[in-house]
Amino acid sequence: MKYMKLGTKPDAFQSDGENIRFAATELETDIIVNVGDVKFYLHKFPLLSKSLRLQRLIATIDEERSYEIAIPDIPGGSAAFEVCAKFCYGMIFTLNAYNVVSARCAAEHLEMLETVEKGNMIHKIDVFLNSSILRSWKDSIITLQTTKILQPWTEELKIVHCCIESIASKASIDPAEVKWSYTNNRKKLPFSDVMKKQSVPQDWWVEDLCELEIEFYKQVIIAIKSKGLASSKVVGESLKAYAYIRLPGFSNSHGGDLTKHQTLLETIVWLFPPDSDSVSCSFLLKLLKVESFLDCGENCKKELIKRIGYQLQDASVADLLIPAPKTSKELQKSTSSASETSRSKVAVANLVDGYLAEVAKDPNLPLSKFIKLAEMASGSSRLSHNQLYHAIDMFLKEHPGLKKFEKKKICSLLDCNKLSHDTCIHAAQNDHLPLRIVVQILYFEQLRQFAIGSCGTNLPSGRAQSLVHQENRSVSYASSRSAASSNTEDELNGVSIKPVKLEASGENGDDKSSEKVKGGLMPKRIISNLWSGKVQVGESSSSGTPESIVSMNPNEARSTPSRHSRQSVS
């Protein structure tokens, strides 16, 4: 820390109790100066030689009646006046970053000008400020902090402006030219590395600015941004560090003034650089969480949501596990405008599905909320429905009380064409899924295996998928003709279930081939239901299309029903 010693005589100021100060000299004091509750017993001549204001005040007193004058409004109070009085007496005292501003303001109030005496106090302090204090990084920050309680004096004397400019200029220079000590590097590097003059990081100044109150911090960041030399990412890192220290939800303290915290959050959001990648999506989501607690202004929330939408593809599931009430709809709007590229859409879809798998573990999560979240990602964005299946499976496990139509509703989110072979096998043995959904999944897996088997194992995936789609169209056409004469429960619930084509087996059901579904395994619970007559599935007709329904009951052979009979898989 920089300091300056003034005066040549020993410090002879003494105290007599808390409210008495006097200059211990051979001469008897002849004036009493009242500064607040403190009385200073001094001598007229040293004061008159330096202060124009004291000259006027002393000239107005009636020496026959009183020897006292009052200076009630001097900035810095009695401590600052004592420093000025010592300067008048020529006594030794020290100025540093903590007291230089109060001394400067007090000297201004007392009018200790060059016109009164050459080399007066105002001139000497200004030289010290410009040549030492404002050239030092840490001293500039400390000095700026002391100006708050001395306003409006410090504003009028432009001390605040000079400190801010000094800090902003130093934060904007090339880090390779930084030669003063800085907090950030000394915290992260061993002392030996610091002594070796390791290169200074780009964000070396970030942590030091966290010491400033929000109004000063705001002015410093604005000044740094206006110079255009510090990168937007470093500015964003500074805002992040400040939020982590100052905001509840980041720092250890969760109390304090609500209005103050609201202002602080709104200011941080307002200070964001225009670049969308200046702050991370994870940080933005945490700010949104804090905003939901503080209930800031609508503009603050909208700005956060808009920025999150631009960067949602960069978030992780852990980032999303934050309660953010009443924001789902707005997040969906932001996502649709932000994720223009297919890569971003796929990343967001994967993120949503991973998030669903986590929140599905919450037994209090309602079905409607789960479905609404799942629909945030468009169907075309999901290249695979494996994660979505996992999320649905988790939700069904944690919500065993769901009704049959509710299970069908949540399962209608799945596209069976986008489930992997392993996922289909898992679904076939999943007791939480409705049986109709299991049959549907097995049917599509059967088509896929048939397409691959028909054209060889080296069939290109695109060709195999094309064959599956062709088969799907023929089945959909047949199903629609059959369903035209019926009004099934599945149609009412928006679920379209297609029949599955089975291989015939031995009479006793002992042949292992009875559990095959053209390349896929038929789970035992479906086998048992089929033999018990609980499930009806489509048997191939003479045309090879599963348009008609047969009963798979070994105890009686039934004739094939009419093409227009109701297709039902319970």
Side-chain angles (χ1 to χ4, degrees):
M1 179 181 292
K2 303 291 185 180
Y3 65 92
M4 179 176 70
K5 283 189 175 181
L6 292 175
T8 57
K9 300 176 182 178
D11 184 356
F13 264 73
Q14 297 181 10
S15 301
D16 185 6
E18 295 182 357
N19 300 324
I20 301 295
R21 303 285 189 276
F22 62 93
T25 63
E26 296 178 355
L27 298 175
E28 185 180 355
T29 60
D30 55 5
I31 188 71
I32 300 173
V33 181
N34 294 300
V35 182
D37 297 332
V38 181
K39 289 182 177 293
F40 288 87
Y41 291 81
L42 305 172
H43 302 84
K44 292 179 183 178
F45 177 75
L47 303 179
L48 295 174
S49 64
K50 298 289 192 297
S51 171
L52 187 60
R53 184 179 183 86
L54 289 175
Q55 288 179 15
R56 292 199 300 269
L57 288 173
I58 291 174
T60 60
I61 65 173
D62 186 351
E63 294 184 2
E64 294 182 358
R65 296 182 180 180
S66 174
Y67 295 93
E68 295 188 26
I69 59 174
I71 312 177
D73 54 350
I74 185 170
S78 59
F81 177 79
E82 184 173 333
V83 170
C84 293
K86 288 179 180 179
F87 179 83
C88 293
Y89 277 89
M91 296 177 184
I92 298 173
F93 67 95
T94 302
L95 290 177
N96 54 43
Y98 290 100
N99 65 3
V100 67
V101 175
S102 61
R104 175 63 179 84
C105 294
E108 184 73 21
H109 185 73
L110 295 174
E111 301 178 46
M112 301 175 74
L113 307 166
E114 288 294 283
T115 55
V116 180
E117 183 179 85
K118 226 29 171 166
N120 211 340
M121 191 171 183
I122 289 177
H123 172 72
K124 288 188 179 295
I125 291 179
D126 285 346
V127 171
F128 177 57
L129 279 170
N130 294 319
S131 64
S132 296
I133 294 294
L134 297 179
R135 289 178 178 269
S136 167
W137 167 255
K138 289 292 292 183
D139 288 347
S140 296
I141 293 176
I142 294 171
T143 302
L144 178 59
Q145 290 174 295
T146 65
T147 62
K148 183 177 180 179
I149 61 173
L150 295 166
Q151 293 179 346
W153 286 91
T154 51
E155 293 286 355
E156 295 173 358
L157 296 175
K158 299 190 181 301
I159 298 176
V160 172
H161 172 76
C162 291
C163 289
I164 289 173
E165 278 299 306
S166 171
I167 296 169
S169 297
K170 291 174 175 59
S172 300
I173 69 173
D174 186 349
E177 299 179 11
V178 177
K179 297 179 181 178
W180 53 85
S181 63
Y182 52 96
T183 303
N184 196 4
N185 195 45
R186 288 186 178 271
K187 284 183 177 179
K188 293 181 178 179
L189 296 178
F191 179 74
S192 58
D193 290 341
V194 175
M195 296 304 294
K196 292 177 184 177
K197 298 182 179 179
Q198 291 283 343
S199 60
V200 177
Q202 293 284 336
D203 61 347
W204 64 267
W205 50 269
V206 164
E207 292 183 9
D208 288 336
L209 294 193
C210 294
E211 300 174 10
L212 298 173
E213 292 296 325
I214 186 61
E215 278 305 314
F216 288 147
Y217 177 81
K218 174 184 175 181
Q219 294 180 61
V220 169
I221 294 297
I222 291 174
I224 291 174
K225 289 167 66 177
S226 68
K227 294 183 182 299
L229 299 175
S231 70
S232 60
K233 286 190 175 182
V234 175
V235 174
E237 187 65 25
S238 176
L239 294 170
K240 178 180 177 180
Y242 195 85
Y244 267 78
I245 290 177
R246 298 278 181 166
L247 277 176
F250 291 101
S251 61
N252 293 329
S253 175
H254 296 275
D257 187 349
L258 175 62
T259 303
K260 179 181 178 181
H261 288 146
Q262 288 174 334
T263 302
L264 196 151
L265 176 57
E266 291 172 354
T267 302
I268 289 175
V269 174
W270 184 78
L271 288 172
F272 281 152
D275 300 20
S276 61
D277 61 346
S278 58
V279 291
S280 67
C281 188
S282 173
F283 174 57
L284 291 171
L285 285 163
K286 289 177 181 177
L287 285 181
L288 187 59
K289 172 187 175 182
V290 175
E291 193 282 332
S292 68
F293 295 149
L294 298 178
D295 192 21
C296 298
E298 190 67 21
N299 291 336
C300 177
K301 183 174 70 173
K302 286 183 177 179
E303 178 63 21
L304 282 172
I305 292 173
K306 181 180 73 173
R307 283 183 169 267
I308 289 170
Y310 288 137
Q311 298 174 247
L312 191 56
Q313 67 272 13
D314 300 325
S316 66
V317 173
D319 297 331
L320 290 180
L321 296 177
I322 296 171
K326 302 178 182 179
T327 59
S328 296
K329 183 176 181 180
E330 291 157 318
L331 269 174
Q332 185 178 7
K333 291 180 180 178
S334 300
T335 304
S336 63
S337 62
S339 304
E340 295 298 332
T341 64
S342 59
R343 179 181 299 179
S344 297
K345 290 182 179 180
V346 171
V348 170
N350 290 335
L351 178 66
V352 170
D353 290 346
Y355 174 71
L356 285 172
E358 292 296 326
V359 298
K361 301 174 184 177
D362 182 3
N364 297 319
L365 180 68
L367 175 65
S368 59
K369 186 69 172 180
F370 181 94
I371 294 176
K372 186 176 182 180
L373 289 170
E375 291 174 344
M376 285 177 61
S378 63
S380 60
S381 301
R382 288 187 172 99
L383 301 183
S384 168
H385 274 223
N386 289 344
Q387 282 196 84
L388 180 59
Y389 167 80
H390 175 65
I392 291 173
D393 179 41
M394 185 63 65
F395 188 87
L396 293 175
K397 289 178 181 177
E398 295 295 333
H399 298 76
L402 288 180
K403 297 179 180 179
K404 185 177 179 181
F405 79 91
E406 291 176 321
K407 290 185 178 182
K408 291 180 180 179
K409 188 172 184 180
I410 191 173
C411 289
S412 68
L413 296 168
L414 288 173
D415 183 346
C416 298
N417 280 318
K418 294 185 178 182
L419 296 178
S420 68
H421 175 73
D422 290 340
T423 302
C424 289
I425 296 302
H426 184 279
Q429 305 173 60
N430 192 341
D431 292 334
H432 300 286
L433 294 178
L435 199 56
R436 296 178 64 87
I437 303 300
V438 175
V439 174
Q440 184 181 13
I441 291 173
L442 286 172
Y443 170 70
F444 281 104
E445 176 62 12
Q446 174 191 1
L447 291 181
R448 178 163 50 198
Q449 296 299 326
F450 172 77
I452 295 174
S454 298
C455 300
T457 56
N458 295 325
L459 179 71
S461 59
R463 175 57 178 160
Q465 187 74 5
S466 176
L467 289 174
V468 171
H469 287 324
Q470 291 177 16
E471 185 69 14
N472 291 347
R473 285 196 296 271
S474 65
V475 173
S476 298
Y477 172 70
S479 299
S480 62
R481 287 191 300 162
S482 176
S485 60
S486 63
N487 185 19
T488 67
E489 177 186 358
D490 292 314
E491 292 170 331
L492 292 175
N493 288 282
V495 181
S496 177
I497 305 299
K498 300 177 178 61
V500 61
K501 181 179 178 181
L502 297 178
E503 296 284 353
S505 63
E507 293 183 359
N508 298 323
D510 297 331
D511 193 341
K512 292 183 179 179
S513 64
S514 66
E515 299 184 12
K516 299 283 186 178
V517 184
K518 276 201 174 181
L521 291 176
M522 174 66 72
K524 291 183 179 180
R525 75 183 178 100
I526 296 183
I527 293 293
S528 62
N529 287 332
L530 288 173
W531 288 109
S532 64
K534 291 182 180 179
V535 181
Q536 293 178 329
V537 295
E539 180 67 88
S540 62
S541 64
S542 58
S543 62
T545 303
E547 299 176 358
S548 58
I549 305 299
V550 297
S551 173
M552 302 294 290
N553 192 327
N555 296 323
E556 65 173 317
R558 298 181 180 177
S559 60
T560 303
S562 169
R563 178 183 302 274
H564 298 290
S565 63
R566 182 186 179 197
Q567 299 185 22
S568 174
V569 181
S570 299

PDB file of all heavy atoms in Angstrom, residues 43-66:
ATOM      1  N   HIS A  43      -4.539  26.633  18.792  1.00  0.00           N
ATOM      2  CA  HIS A  43      -3.989  27.988  18.719  1.00  0.00           C
ATOM      3  C   HIS A  43      -4.423  28.622  17.404  1.00  0.00           C
ATOM      4  O   HIS A  43      -4.468  27.950  16.356  1.00  0.00           O
ATOM      5  CB  HIS A  43      -2.465  27.943  18.804  1.00  0.00           C
ATOM      6  CG  HIS A  43      -1.948  27.295  20.054  1.00  0.00           C
ATOM      7  ND1 HIS A  43      -1.804  25.928  20.178  1.00  0.00           N
ATOM      8  CD2 HIS A  43      -1.551  27.844  21.233  1.00  0.00           C
ATOM      9  CE1 HIS A  43      -1.329  25.644  21.381  1.00  0.00           C
ATOM     10  NE2 HIS A  43      -1.165  26.806  22.049  1.00  0.00           N
ATOM     11  N   LYS A  44      -4.707  29.909  17.455  1.00  0.00           N
ATOM     12  CA  LYS A  44      -5.237  30.597  16.283  1.00  0.00           C
ATOM     13  C   LYS A  44      -4.239  30.678  15.139  1.00  0.00           C
ATOM     14  O   LYS A  44      -4.577  30.401  13.981  1.00  0.00           O
ATOM     15  CB  LYS A  44      -5.663  32.024  16.660  1.00  0.00           C
ATOM     16  CG  LYS A  44      -6.844  32.111  17.577  1.00  0.00           C
ATOM     17  CD  LYS A  44      -7.141  33.576  17.873  1.00  0.00           C
ATOM     18  CE  LYS A  44      -8.296  33.731  18.865  1.00  0.00           C
ATOM     19  NZ  LYS A  44      -8.534  35.149  19.173  1.00  0.00           N
ATOM     20  N   PHE A  45      -3.004  31.045  15.456  1.00  0.00           N
ATOM     21  CA  PHE A  45      -2.065  31.371  14.384  1.00  0.00           C
ATOM     22  C   PHE A  45      -1.835  30.209  13.407  1.00  0.00           C
ATOM     23  O   PHE A  45      -1.920  30.410  12.182  1.00  0.00           O
ATOM     24  CB  PHE A  45      -0.730  31.857  14.957  1.00  0.00           C
ATOM     25  CG  PHE A  45       0.283  32.138  13.901  1.00  0.00           C
ATOM     26  CD1 PHE A  45       0.185  33.281  13.115  1.00  0.00           C
ATOM     27  CD2 PHE A  45       1.341  31.253  13.650  1.00  0.00           C
ATOM     28  CE1 PHE A  45       1.107  33.539  12.111  1.00  0.00           C
ATOM     29  CE2 PHE A  45       2.260  31.508  12.660  1.00  0.00           C
ATOM     30  CZ  PHE A  45       2.149  32.655  11.890  1.00  0.00           C
ATOM     31  N   PRO A  46      -1.535  28.967  13.840  1.00  0.00           N
ATOM     32  CA  PRO A  46      -1.323  27.880  12.862  1.00  0.00           C
ATOM     33  C   PRO A  46      -2.545  27.655  11.978  1.00  0.00           C
ATOM     34  O   PRO A  46      -2.409  27.358  10.786  1.00  0.00           O
ATOM     35  CB  PRO A  46      -1.042  26.664  13.741  1.00  0.00           C
ATOM     36  CG  PRO A  46      -0.587  27.223  15.042  1.00  0.00           C
ATOM     37  CD  PRO A  46      -1.336  28.505  15.212  1.00  0.00           C
ATOM     38  N   LEU A  47      -3.734  27.825  12.552  1.00  0.00           N
ATOM     39  CA  LEU A  47      -4.945  27.596  11.770  1.00  0.00           C
ATOM     40  C   LEU A  47      -5.171  28.693  10.742  1.00  0.00           C
ATOM     41  O   LEU A  47      -5.532  28.429   9.596  1.00  0.00           O
ATOM     42  CB  LEU A  47      -6.158  27.501  12.692  1.00  0.00           C
ATOM     43  CG  LEU A  47      -6.111  26.417  13.798  1.00  0.00           C
ATOM     44  CD1 LEU A  47      -7.390  26.478  14.631  1.00  0.00           C
ATOM     45  CD2 LEU A  47      -5.937  25.029  13.201  1.00  0.00           C
ATOM     46  N   LEU A  48      -4.960  29.936  11.180  1.00  0.00           N
ATOM     47  CA  LEU A  48      -5.180  31.067  10.276  1.00  0.00           C
ATOM     48  C   LEU A  48      -4.216  31.050   9.097  1.00  0.00           C
ATOM     49  O   LEU A  48      -4.543  31.558   8.011  1.00  0.00           O
ATOM     50  CB  LEU A  48      -5.046  32.376  11.035  1.00  0.00           C
ATOM     51  CG  LEU A  48      -6.105  32.641  12.124  1.00  0.00           C
ATOM     52  CD1 LEU A  48      -5.752  33.906  12.901  1.00  0.00           C
ATOM     53  CD2 LEU A  48      -7.488  32.756  11.503  1.00  0.00           C
ATOM     54  N   SER A  49      -3.028  30.467   9.279  1.00  0.00           N
ATOM     55  CA  SER A  49      -2.007  30.492   8.229  1.00  0.00           C
ATOM     56  C   SER A  49      -2.292  29.509   7.100  1.00  0.00           C
ATOM     57  O   SER A  49      -1.675  29.586   6.041  1.00  0.00           O
ATOM     58  CB  SER A  49      -0.628  30.170   8.822  1.00  0.00           C
ATOM     59  OG  SER A  49      -0.605  28.845   9.332  1.00  0.00           O
ATOM     60  N   LYS A  50      -3.233  28.612   7.303  1.00  0.00           N
ATOM     61  CA  LYS A  50      -3.471  27.575   6.285  1.00  0.00           C
ATOM     62  C   LYS A  50      -4.916  27.531   5.782  1.00  0.00           C
ATOM     63  O   LYS A  50      -5.141  27.090   4.660  1.00  0.00           O
ATOM     64  CB  LYS A  50      -3.141  26.185   6.873  1.00  0.00           C
ATOM     65  CG  LYS A  50      -1.687  25.980   7.297  1.00  0.00           C
ATOM     66  CD  LYS A  50      -0.769  25.889   6.097  1.00  0.00           C
ATOM     67  CE  LYS A  50       0.622  25.386   6.504  1.00  0.00           C
ATOM     68  NZ  LYS A  50       1.318  26.284   7.436  1.00  0.00           N
ATOM     69  N   SER A  51      -5.898  27.952   6.598  1.00  0.00           N
ATOM     70  CA  SER A  51      -7.309  27.747   6.238  1.00  0.00           C
ATOM     71  C   SER A  51      -8.049  29.059   6.062  1.00  0.00           C
ATOM     72  O   SER A  51      -8.176  29.850   7.008  1.00  0.00           O
ATOM     73  CB  SER A  51      -8.002  26.911   7.315  1.00  0.00           C
ATOM     74  OG  SER A  51      -9.391  26.873   7.108  1.00  0.00           O
ATOM     75  N   LEU A  52      -8.557  29.291   4.874  1.00  0.00           N
ATOM     76  CA  LEU A  52      -9.336  30.490   4.591  1.00  0.00           C
ATOM     77  C   LEU A  52     -10.673  30.453   5.330  1.00  0.00           C
ATOM     78  O   LEU A  52     -11.150  31.489   5.814  1.00  0.00           O
ATOM     79  CB  LEU A  52      -9.564  30.601   3.086  1.00  0.00           C
ATOM     80  CG  LEU A  52     -10.229  31.878   2.583  1.00  0.00           C
ATOM     81  CD1 LEU A  52      -9.386  33.106   2.935  1.00  0.00           C
ATOM     82  CD2 LEU A  52     -10.449  31.811   1.073  1.00  0.00           C
ATOM     83  N   ARG A  53     -11.270  29.308   5.453  1.00  0.00           N
ATOM     84  CA  ARG A  53     -12.558  29.195   6.145  1.00  0.00           C
ATOM     85  C   ARG A  53     -12.406  29.499   7.634  1.00  0.00           C
ATOM     86  O   ARG A  53     -13.232  30.205   8.236  1.00  0.00           O
ATOM     87  CB  ARG A  53     -13.142  27.791   5.948  1.00  0.00           C
ATOM     88  CG  ARG A  53     -14.536  27.611   6.571  1.00  0.00           C
ATOM     89  CD  ARG A  53     -15.073  26.213   6.337  1.00  0.00           C
ATOM     90  NE  ARG A  53     -16.421  26.064   6.878  1.00  0.00           N
ATOM     91  CZ  ARG A  53     -17.541  26.380   6.242  1.00  0.00           C
ATOM     92  NH1 ARG A  53     -17.477  26.885   5.015  1.00  0.00           N
ATOM     93  NH2 ARG A  53     -18.719  26.202   6.814  1.00  0.00           N
ATOM     94  N   LEU A  54     -11.338  28.984   8.254  1.00  0.00           N
ATOM     95  CA  LEU A  54     -11.110  29.269   9.674  1.00  0.00           C
ATOM     96  C   LEU A  54     -10.823  30.748   9.897  1.00  0.00           C
ATOM     97  O   LEU A  54     -11.182  31.313  10.941  1.00  0.00           O
ATOM     98  CB  LEU A  54      -9.966  28.403  10.201  1.00  0.00           C
ATOM     99  CG  LEU A  54     -10.279  26.902  10.347  1.00  0.00           C
ATOM    100  CD1 LEU A  54      -9.028  26.144  10.748  1.00  0.00           C
ATOM    101  CD2 LEU A  54     -11.388  26.688  11.378  1.00  0.00           C
ATOM    102  N   GLN A  55     -10.184  31.368   8.951  1.00  0.00           N
ATOM    103  CA  GLN A  55      -9.947  32.817   9.057  1.00  0.00           C
ATOM    104  C   GLN A  55     -11.266  33.568   9.162  1.00  0.00           C
ATOM    105  O   GLN A  55     -11.428  34.458   9.998  1.00  0.00           O
ATOM    106  CB  GLN A  55      -9.162  33.309   7.836  1.00  0.00           C
ATOM    107  CG  GLN A  55      -7.707  32.885   7.791  1.00  0.00           C
ATOM    108  CD  GLN A  55      -7.010  33.392   6.538  1.00  0.00           C
ATOM    109  OE1 GLN A  55      -7.525  34.277   5.840  1.00  0.00           O
ATOM    110  NE2 GLN A  55      -5.837  32.842   6.243  1.00  0.00           N
ATOM    111  N   ARG A  56     -12.233  33.209   8.333  1.00  0.00           N
ATOM    112  CA  ARG A  56     -13.531  33.885   8.343  1.00  0.00           C
ATOM    113  C   ARG A  56     -14.293  33.576   9.634  1.00  0.00           C
ATOM    114  O   ARG A  56     -14.930  34.469  10.217  1.00  0.00           O
ATOM    115  CB  ARG A  56     -14.362  33.471   7.136  1.00  0.00           C
ATOM    116  CG  ARG A  56     -13.826  33.951   5.798  1.00  0.00           C
ATOM    117  CD  ARG A  56     -14.892  33.921   4.721  1.00  0.00           C
ATOM    118  NE  ARG A  56     -15.399  32.553   4.538  1.00  0.00           N
ATOM    119  CZ  ARG A  56     -14.886  31.679   3.667  1.00  0.00           C
ATOM    120  NH1 ARG A  56     -13.847  32.037   2.908  1.00  0.00           N
ATOM    121  NH2 ARG A  56     -15.399  30.479   3.535  1.00  0.00           N
ATOM    122  N   LEU A  57     -14.241  32.309  10.077  1.00  0.00           N
ATOM    123  CA  LEU A  57     -14.973  31.946  11.295  1.00  0.00           C
ATOM    124  C   LEU A  57     -14.391  32.642  12.532  1.00  0.00           C
ATOM    125  O   LEU A  57     -15.127  33.161  13.383  1.00  0.00           O
ATOM    126  CB  LEU A  57     -14.931  30.428  11.490  1.00  0.00           C
ATOM    127  CG  LEU A  57     -15.786  29.603  10.523  1.00  0.00           C
ATOM    128  CD1 LEU A  57     -15.506  28.123  10.725  1.00  0.00           C
ATOM    129  CD2 LEU A  57     -17.275  29.903  10.722  1.00  0.00           C
ATOM    130  N   ILE A  58     -13.084  32.690  12.644  1.00  0.00           N
ATOM    131  CA  ILE A  58     -12.454  33.315  13.814  1.00  0.00           C
ATOM    132  C   ILE A  58     -12.683  34.817  13.807  1.00  0.00           C
ATOM    133  O   ILE A  58     -12.827  35.453  14.871  1.00  0.00           O
ATOM    134  CB  ILE A  58     -10.944  32.983  13.846  1.00  0.00           C
ATOM    135  CG1 ILE A  58     -10.762  31.479  14.144  1.00  0.00           C
ATOM    136  CG2 ILE A  58     -10.215  33.804  14.901  1.00  0.00           C
ATOM    137  CD1 ILE A  58      -9.317  31.012  14.045  1.00  0.00           C
ATOM    138  N   ALA A  59     -12.773  35.374  12.625  1.00  0.00           N
ATOM    139  CA  ALA A  59     -12.991  36.814  12.531  1.00  0.00           C
ATOM    140  C   ALA A  59     -14.371  37.220  13.021  1.00  0.00           C
ATOM    141  O   ALA A  59     -14.606  38.387  13.369  1.00  0.00           O
ATOM    142  CB  ALA A  59     -12.784  37.278  11.097  1.00  0.00           C
ATOM    143  N   THR A  60     -15.272  36.310  13.078  1.00  0.00           N
ATOM    144  CA  THR A  60     -16.657  36.644  13.469  1.00  0.00           C
ATOM    145  C   THR A  60     -16.906  36.521  14.968  1.00  0.00           C
ATOM    146  O   THR A  60     -17.958  36.947  15.445  1.00  0.00           O
ATOM    147  CB  THR A  60     -17.642  35.719  12.745  1.00  0.00           C
ATOM    148  OG1 THR A  60     -17.370  34.365  13.110  1.00  0.00           O
ATOM    149  CG2 THR A  60     -17.546  35.878  11.239  1.00  0.00           C
ATOM    150  N   ILE A  61     -15.991  35.921  15.732  1.00  0.00           N
ATOM    151  CA  ILE A  61     -16.266  35.699  17.160  1.00  0.00           C
ATOM    152  C   ILE A  61     -15.941  36.936  17.970  1.00  0.00           C
ATOM    153  O   ILE A  61     -15.063  37.732  17.607  1.00  0.00           O
ATOM    154  CB  ILE A  61     -15.483  34.488  17.700  1.00  0.00           C
ATOM    155  CG1 ILE A  61     -13.967  34.751  17.662  1.00  0.00           C
ATOM    156  CG2 ILE A  61     -15.828  33.219  16.938  1.00  0.00           C
ATOM    157  CD1 ILE A  61     -13.148  33.675  18.326  1.00  0.00           C
ATOM    158  N   ASP A  62     -16.634  37.058  19.075  1.00  0.00           N
ATOM    159  CA  ASP A  62     -16.379  38.142  20.028  1.00  0.00           C
ATOM    160  C   ASP A  62     -15.460  37.581  21.107  1.00  0.00           C
ATOM    161  O   ASP A  62     -15.884  36.796  21.967  1.00  0.00           O
ATOM    162  CB  ASP A  62     -17.687  38.635  20.628  1.00  0.00           C
ATOM    163  CG  ASP A  62     -17.511  39.849  21.523  1.00  0.00           C
ATOM    164  OD1 ASP A  62     -16.336  40.198  21.810  1.00  0.00           O
ATOM    165  OD2 ASP A  62     -18.528  40.409  21.929  1.00  0.00           O
ATOM    166  N   GLU A  63     -14.191  37.962  21.066  1.00  0.00           N
ATOM    167  CA  GLU A  63     -13.206  37.373  21.968  1.00  0.00           C
ATOM    168  C   GLU A  63     -13.496  37.685  23.437  1.00  0.00           C
ATOM    169  O   GLU A  63     -13.046  36.975  24.327  1.00  0.00           O
ATOM    170  CB  GLU A  63     -11.808  37.860  21.601  1.00  0.00           C
ATOM    171  CG  GLU A  63     -11.353  37.373  20.231  1.00  0.00           C
ATOM    172  CD  GLU A  63      -9.928  37.793  19.937  1.00  0.00           C
ATOM    173  OE1 GLU A  63      -9.302  38.423  20.813  1.00  0.00           O
ATOM    174  OE2 GLU A  63      -9.440  37.496  18.831  1.00  0.00           O
ATOM    175  N   GLU A  64     -14.244  38.729  23.692  1.00  0.00           N
ATOM    176  CA  GLU A  64     -14.541  39.058  25.085  1.00  0.00           C
ATOM    177  C   GLU A  64     -15.592  38.119  25.673  1.00  0.00           C
ATOM    178  O   GLU A  64     -15.642  37.945  26.881  1.00  0.00           O
ATOM    179  CB  GLU A  64     -15.038  40.504  25.169  1.00  0.00           C
ATOM    180  CG  GLU A  64     -13.963  41.519  24.797  1.00  0.00           C
ATOM    181  CD  GLU A  64     -14.470  42.938  24.945  1.00  0.00           C
ATOM    182  OE1 GLU A  64     -15.673  43.084  25.301  1.00  0.00           O
ATOM    183  OE2 GLU A  64     -13.704  43.877  24.705  1.00  0.00           O
ATOM    184  N   ARG A  65     -16.415  37.541  24.821  1.00  0.00           N
ATOM    185  CA  ARG A  65     -17.487  36.671  25.312  1.00  0.00           C
ATOM    186  C   ARG A  65     -17.200  35.183  25.083  1.00  0.00           C
ATOM    187  O   ARG A  65     -17.632  34.339  25.859  1.00  0.00           O
ATOM    188  CB  ARG A  65     -18.812  37.029  24.626  1.00  0.00           C
ATOM    189  CG  ARG A  65     -19.282  38.425  24.947  1.00  0.00           C
ATOM    190  CD  ARG A  65     -20.625  38.695  24.277  1.00  0.00           C
ATOM    191  NE  ARG A  65     -21.107  40.031  24.578  1.00  0.00           N
ATOM    192  CZ  ARG A  65     -22.260  40.529  24.112  1.00  0.00           C
ATOM    193  NH1 ARG A  65     -23.026  39.752  23.328  1.00  0.00           N
ATOM    194  NH2 ARG A  65     -22.622  41.757  24.425  1.00  0.00           N
ATOM    195  N   SER A  66     -16.525  34.860  23.978  1.00  0.00           N
ATOM    196  CA  SER A  66     -16.340  33.441  23.652  1.00  0.00           C
ATOM    197  C   SER A  66     -15.056  33.245  22.870  1.00  0.00           C
ATOM    198  O   SER A  66     -14.596  34.139  22.153  1.00  0.00           O
ATOM    199  CB  SER A  66     -17.530  32.929  22.837  1.00  0.00           C
ATOM    200  OG  SER A  66     -17.319  31.621  22.393  1.00  0.00           O
TER     201      SER A  66
END
